[in-house]
Amino acid sequence: MSLWILLSSAVLAAPPTARVSGAGGARAVAVLFERGGTVYGVGCNDAGVAPDASPDGIHTCGPIPVSTGEARIGVLRDGRLVDLGASTIGGDGVIVRLDGGAAVLAGDASELPAPRAGAPQPAVTTAFVRVRGAPEGQAPVLRLQGPAGSSELVCRDDGVFPDNDRNDGEHGCAGPAPGEGGEVLLNGTGAGSFGKVSWGPGPFAFLQVDVAARTARSETFALPGFAPDTIVVATPPESMETPVPPEPPEPPEGSSPGAEPAPPRPPGEDQPPQPPGADGPEGSPTPRPPQASHSPVASREVGALPPFALVAALLLGGVGSWAWRRRAHRLPANLRPLPAPALLPGGPSLAERGGVLRTDDPGALAAALLPVLARHRRVVVVGDAPLPEVPDGPVYRAARGDWEEIEASVRTLARAPGAPVAVLVIGDALADVGAVAPSPARKLRDGLPAGVWLGIVTPTAPEGVPVWDVPAGPPWSATRVEPSVSSVVPSEG
């Protein structure tokens, strides 16, 4: 009899659910749980469809597919993940509050309306897609077109959820899937229709797309773990590649114009050429002898040049590669850029190179700017100030503040396929190691490649960088400060 009572109580007890508030106008919301290397998911809705009680701004998801205990929790909002980290799931379920780009576990289930009984029926299905055979260097954009509408999913091969591994040739993306099926179309190279696919009702759809075979099918696959992507290790200067010979002017792929060449061999000293591979794998930070270079042939040619010829060759090579880079970024004559809106009233826009935002509360202003920047750029943060997690980006944090390391890392990131790059420096995080009169802000600004936006949020304004004064907020607004004649420093762009 006691066993029957226990079984009856277990059957009648409502399974724990998840609730999400602050999702705003998101079309597809889901909560993911990672435990033991496996990711489980549950769909959510705020349409008054069971288990949701009513359209009240709170998405209800349930039942939770994992038992109580510790698990890693994430919220998927229109295909972009916000990672909450590891937390303990209680018998009352999980309550998540989204605030801008951040998410926190908060609240008490007793304060919310009781979930309705019945199987979960999310208003919009979340689609997970894997794309194979896309052209190298291209981020494929899929369009799902059905009777219930359409949605576009930007797929990436950067190892960030839902992609599996970085640069493995397989792109991953996620986002709303209209209805129970529709036509799968691809934009860009190989554009066209891949036919109609039915993924059926339910919280999730899984699609496999093969660009080369021009096929799309519904096939379930395991989701990868969603470790955060908030840290990037700056590239040490000694691991950058050495320059190539100055002829031809166009630098070969993989070279780094402007690096120090190997010095010529002293007269009379017999130095046999280094065998190929003696320096170890490409990009290795292992110290090299000062007389060696990556190429034995280049070492012999440089060593044979007289000093004046060596200087002239380096100047010609630098001018040639500078002209090549300028030519590559030249805007066609029939195109004119439209004015870009300011990031905050009176402040700089992303069309400008950026500058200094002078404020007494740099941490709070940086936290307000980050979600705006991450919607349009890949963001590199310099500084240890706490920042909200954002569903866009991705956002990286530099491990060190040396401006030379940051410049090298940003150049490498800017060459990789993806959105343009923005650098957000908080406080006095920039450093110029070993300099007598350091001016790292101006050096970093002048050294960054074209198209990279730099914003320095600090109480003091370094010399030679455009300045906007931002009173403590919110609401945030800015006023451009006209520089004095002595502080104007010419720079490219």
Side-chain angles (χ1 to χ4, degrees), residues 358-360 469-473 475-479:
R358 185 165 54 188
T359 179
D360 292 332
D469 274 337
V470 183
W476 301 99
S477 62
T479 303

Side-chain angles (χ1 to χ4, degrees), residues 252-303:
E253 184 178 357
S255 65
S256 179
E260 289 290 338
R265 293 179 295 173
E269 184 178 340
D270 185 15
Q271 296 179 346
Q274 296 289 329
D279 289 335
E282 182 179 353
S284 171
T286 304
R288 299 184 175 90
Q291 69 272 15
S293 69
H294 280 282
S295 169
V297 176
S299 178
R300 289 194 297 268
E301 290 178 353
V302 171

Side-chain angles (χ1 to χ4, degrees), residues 136-367:
E136 185 177 358
Q138 180 187 96
V141 179
L142 285 183
R143 183 156 54 94
L144 305 179
Q145 179 74 49
S150 66
S151 61
E152 283 192 348
L153 313 182
V154 180
C155 304
R156 304 184 296 184
D157 189 16
D158 55 3
V160 178
F161 185 91
D163 183 52
N164 269 330
D165 298 302
R166 179 180 176 87
N167 296 332
D168 64 348
E170 185 176 88
H171 295 70
C173 51
E180 300 180 9
E183 189 175 12
V184 180
L185 302 104
L186 178 73
N187 296 344
T189 304
S193 174
F194 286 70
K196 294 184 177 181
V197 178
S198 174
W199 46 79
F204 303 113
F206 294 83
L207 301 177
Q208 299 267 16
V209 178
D210 192 321
V211 177
R214 302 195 66 77
T215 60
R217 66 185 187 276
S218 177
E219 181 179 319
T220 304
F221 50 82
L223 295 176
F226 42 92
D229 59 321
T230 55
I231 297 178
V232 61
V233 178
T235 304
E238 59 266 24
S239 70
M240 300 299 290
E241 299 178 12
T242 54
V244 296
E247 293 291 336
E250 179 173 336
E253 184 178 357
S255 65
S256 179
E260 289 290 338
R265 293 179 295 173
E269 184 178 340
D270 185 15
Q271 296 179 346
Q274 296 289 329
D279 289 335
E282 182 179 353
S284 171
T286 304
R288 299 184 175 90
Q291 69 272 15
S293 69
H294 280 282
S295 169
V297 176
S299 178
R300 289 194 297 268
E301 290 178 353
V302 171
L305 290 175
F308 69 88
L310 177 61
V311 173
L314 289 175
L315 288 175
L316 288 175
V319 171
S321 51
W322 174 84
W324 178 81
R325 291 196 305 269
R326 294 288 292 178
R327 181 177 181 270
H329 293 93
R330 186 177 299 165
L331 191 68
N334 65 326
L335 299 181
R336 293 291 183 270
L338 293 175
L343 293 174
L344 63 161
S349 70
L350 288 175
E352 302 173 88
R353 295 190 61 193
V356 173
L357 297 170
R358 185 165 54 188
T359 179
D360 292 332
D361 194 353
L365 179 56

Side-chain angles (χ1 to χ4, degrees), residues 396-424:
Y396 305 93
R397 195 185 288 270
R400 289 170 293 276
D402 185 3
W403 74 271
E404 291 183 302
E405 292 189 7
I406 295 168
E407 179 190 344
S409 297
V410 171
R411 284 184 174 275
T412 302
L413 183 62
R415 287 195 296 265
V421 179
V423 181
L424 183 62

